[in-house]
Amino acid sequence: MVKNSFISIISQEENKENRGSVEFQVVSFTNKIRRLTSHLELHKKDYLSQRGLRKILGKRQRLLAYLSKTNRVRYKELIGQLDIRERKTR
C-alpha cells in the first residue's frame, strides 16, 4: 500500500488545477485498479467488481496508448513513476 499513498501524494501536489490531463487520469485509474485488486483478493466471486476492473483497465490502456502516440517522453516517465509495464506492441 506504500505505492498507493505515494501516487495519491503525487496527484494531489502536481495536478490540483490540471485534473483533465492524461497523466492525472492514468494516476487515478491506477489508484482505482490497485484498490479493486486488493478487494478482489478477499472477494474472489465478486463478478461485478471484476467487470468494473476490466473496464478501468481498458480505459487506462487507451489513455496510455494515446499518450505514447502523442508524447513518448511523458509516457516513459509516467509508466516508470507508476511502476507499470509498457504496453505490448504488435
Side-chain angles (χ1 to χ4, degrees):
M1 291 311 229
V2 174
K3 290 181 184 176
N4 270 348
S5 61
F6 178 71
I7 291 170
S8 63
I9 291 170
I10 291 172
S11 63
Q12 288 173 358
E13 289 175 358
E14 292 180 358
N15 296 320
K16 281 193 176 181
E17 304 107 17
N18 202 3
R19 293 185 186 266
S21 71
V22 176
E23 290 91 350
F24 182 83
Q25 291 179 36
V26 170
V27 167
S28 65
F29 285 147
T30 304
N31 282 336
K32 287 181 185 179
I33 288 168
R34 291 193 174 135
R35 261 197 327 249
L36 276 173
T37 304
S38 64
H39 169 77
L40 287 171
E41 288 174 356
L42 295 174
H43 308 282
K44 295 183 189 328
K45 294 190 176 187
D46 189 355
Y47 298 115
L48 289 176
S49 293
Q50 288 178 10
R51 180 176 184 262
L53 177 64
R54 285 194 301 267
K55 288 181 79 163
I56 293 172
L57 283 169
K59 287 180 183 180
R60 185 179 75 175
Q61 184 179 7
R62 287 192 299 273
L63 281 172
L64 286 172
Y66 168 76
L67 187 61
S68 71
K69 288 177 188 174
T70 57
N71 194 339
R72 193 73 176 165
V73 175
R74 282 177 28 197
Y75 170 76
K76 291 281 189 183
E77 288 175 0
L78 186 64
I79 63 170
Q81 188 178 27
L82 295 178
D83 195 29
I84 55 177
R85 290 180 289 183
E86 191 168 347
R87 71 183 198 100
K88 296 178 184 176
T89 56
R90 295 182 186 180

